[in-house]
Amino acid sequence: MGTKRKIGLTLSGGGALGLAHIGVLKALEEEGIPIDMISGTSMGALIGAWYAKEGNSAILEEIACGIDWKEETHLFDVNLVLWKGFIQGKKVKSLLTHLIGDIEFSDLGMPFAAVATDARSMEEIVISEGSVIEAIRASISMPAIFTPARWHGRFLIDGGVVNPMPVDVIRKMGAAKVIASNVAIVVKKDVPRVTPPPPGKKALTSPGPHADHPYLLAIKQKINSFLEENKDRVEVLDDLSKIARNKVHAAIEKVDPQMPNMFEVLTQSLHAMQYEKIKRSAQLADIVINPDVSNIGTFDFYRADEAIARGYEATKEILPEIREKVCPSIPPST
């Protein structure tokens, strides 16, 4: 018998857009396409770590859709020393512990790696051992929003700065075939798509089979309680996110020949850098799934059901290509 060719999954960053990764995982599970290892950046690291621990997208979907995000979305603790970062992230770290648990990489059910960036040297830091929570806290530390995370004598920021979709990382971990889910760079489509659930299947927002599970209920209670304690702390982040997103879309569609202001320079430069990195990473993957989440904001966590549905739709659309290029020996589900 030949050695099994391992399939790796890479999840990009993207804030609330990264919730689409849950839909990607859901569709792959339904089709019986196995995932042997995961790498992720920022939100992709959070989703990837949770899946590497549980190996089941259903509970994560129900948690994401069952939290009162719209009313209690402000889960950040403000750092008054603004020049070092707008948010300290201590309470986010507490939230991550509630969600995933205080676990080590060795406790996960499959190999997993999170990508962060050294804030001083701009070196890519791949974390695959030690505390999972510390790794995620580092990977999600958006520059100027979160204070850098302290890790082994370094100060780390969001991995998306150097590697927004770490396909090369999953290759080095031993993946022979790679599926990448990209929400880091989103291009608006002319007509938004909303696909209804297939006949005979429940909507993605319906309570799932784990809805009354004691573990799930306890997680929801902890997170909702945590969010309630920290509501109305940094509403300005939502406004900043919408402004930045509009600038990014404008940069995609047209580069203004007039002299831009400093905010435009910053957002367009960051977008351009990530865009080129995503293109290079995509060439290393066997399949790239691109969920259409162009109408969802970076901090729109309350739209989890929509983001998940978009990831699910995008994966279902290219299943024939996934089977052909990644796992031709696995028959389609019936």
Side-chain angles (χ1 to χ4, degrees):
M1 293 180 63
T3 303
K4 177 180 179 291
R5 304 191 72 187
K6 294 184 177 180
I7 299 174
L9 177 66
T10 293
L11 305 178
S12 77
L17 285 68
L19 294 171
H21 297 321
I22 302 174
V24 171
L25 287 162
K26 181 183 181 75
L28 294 176
E29 282 180 9
E30 286 185 358
E31 296 299 320
I33 296 173
I35 299 300
D36 300 302
M37 58 189 70
I38 298 178
S39 67
T41 291
S42 200
M43 189 62 177
L46 172 56
I47 300 297
W50 200 96
Y51 193 78
K53 177 190 175 186
E54 299 292 339
N56 186 324
S57 66
I59 296 179
L60 184 54
E61 178 185 4
E62 287 161 5
I63 290 173
C65 294
I67 296 172
D68 246 344
W69 294 112
K70 190 167 186 178
E71 296 299 325
E72 304 167 3
T73 188
H74 307 303
L75 53 151
F76 309 113
D77 49 321
V78 176
N79 175 18
L80 298 180
V81 188
L82 296 182
W83 55 87
K84 290 188 177 180
F86 192 57
I87 303 167
Q88 290 181 344
K90 292 180 181 178
K91 292 182 179 178
V92 171
K93 186 174 173 181
S94 175
L95 175 62
L96 294 174
T97 302
H98 283 319
L99 181 62
I100 296 178
D102 187 11
I103 60 174
E104 303 283 310
F105 277 81
S106 58
D107 299 320
L108 298 175
M110 68 178 70
F112 166 71
V115 176
T117 305
D118 187 298
R120 289 174 173 154
S121 67
M122 290 293 105
E123 176 187 357
E124 175 182 297
I125 305 296
V126 179
I127 307 175
S128 58
E129 59 182 19
S131 169
V132 173
I133 298 303
E134 294 291 345
I136 298 172
R137 163 68 177 93
S139 187
I140 67 173
S141 297
M142 298 170 63
I145 302 297
F146 288 94
T147 52
R150 191 184 289 269
W151 183 84
H152 292 194
R154 297 175 180 260
F155 290 96
L156 305 185
I157 58 176
D158 196 306
V161 172
V162 293
N163 200 344
M165 191 171 75
V167 176
D168 58 333
V169 172
I170 203 75
R171 288 287 189 194
K172 291 175 183 176
M173 291 168 65
K177 296 292 183 178
V178 175
I179 300 170
S181 178
N182 165 47
V183 297
I185 297 300
V186 180
V187 179
K188 278 186 175 180
K189 296 186 178 180
D190 294 333
V191 181
R193 296 176 298 106
V194 178
T195 304
K201 291 191 175 182
K202 63 175 185 177
L204 288 173
T205 53
S206 300
H210 304 285
D212 296 323
H213 193 285
Y215 167 75
L216 177 60
L217 293 175
I219 288 292
K220 284 185 179 179
Q221 183 179 16
K222 285 181 179 180
I223 293 176
N224 281 320
S225 174
F226 171 81
L227 293 173
E228 176 63 29
E229 293 172 1
N230 298 282
K231 64 189 302 186
D232 302 324
R233 297 295 296 276
V234 286
E235 294 180 356
V236 69
L237 285 179
D238 291 321
D239 294 332
L240 288 174
S241 172
K242 289 180 175 61
I243 291 171
R245 193 165 180 74
N246 288 337
K247 296 298 181 183
V248 166
H249 286 151
I252 295 172
E253 295 168 2
K254 180 181 178 180
V255 176
D256 190 345
Q258 303 300 317
M259 180 67 69
N261 60 42
M262 287 300 293
F263 191 78
E264 288 173 330
V265 171
L266 174 62
T267 56
Q268 292 188 26
S269 296
L270 289 174
H271 169 263
M273 288 187 291
Q274 281 208 338
Y275 181 68
E276 292 302 321
K277 292 176 187 296
I278 288 286
K279 285 202 303 183
R280 289 196 294 270
S281 292
Q283 294 174 356
L284 300 176
D286 295 284
I287 290 289
V288 180
I289 302 169
N290 295 291
D292 179 7
V293 287
S294 57
N295 62 334
I296 298 175
T298 303
F299 294 97
D300 289 350
F301 290 96
Y302 64 92
R303 300 175 69 180
D305 56 345
E306 185 177 353
I308 293 170
R310 296 291 180 157
Y312 183 86
E313 292 167 3
T315 307
K316 287 289 191 180
E317 284 178 0
I318 63 170
L319 273 172
E321 189 177 355
I322 293 175
R323 292 191 177 282
E324 177 185 354
K325 295 183 178 181
V326 176
C327 49
S329 62
I330 298 176
S333 62
T334 55

